[in-house]
Amino acid sequence: MREKGLAGAGGVQGRDAMTLKLLFWELENHLKSSSGASVVAIDNKIEQAMDLVKSHLMYAVREEVEVLKEQIKELIERNTQLEQENNLLKTLASPEQMAQFQAQVQTSSSPPSTAQPPVPVPATSTQVLPSTQNSSSSA
């Protein structure tokens, strides 16, 4: 996704790079013929070059922010979908299946404690799926 954004900006980046090269070439010529009046012109060219670099960086940062916003949006949607699936699987599972699953979760995680409340099922809800299918096919 990011490559597409950068490829679309290739014309802008190429133009900026060419402009920057031209500014530095002019700067070099001014330095070779330095006089009191050309110092002001040099300062102006340096300022223009810095503004060009700043605008290029700001463009790149904005583009990256847009890519990250889109990724966050997709992750939020995926998380919501998994939470809904998880809740559905919990409601379809029998109490015996839930107890068995909770036991698996407790043994696979940190050392078991004595009075631990049931652990909410994380995004690994696919582990509940096979036992839910088995019970529904046998019922």
Side-chain angles (χ1 to χ4, degrees), residues 55 57 79 104:
S55 66
L57 286 174
N79 187 47
Q104 287 176 345

Side-chain angles (χ1 to χ4, degrees), residues 82-95:
L82 289 172
E83 285 175 349
Q84 290 172 348
E85 180 182 331
N86 187 30
N87 289 331
L88 175 66
L89 291 172
K90 280 182 180 179
T91 59
L92 295 176
S94 68

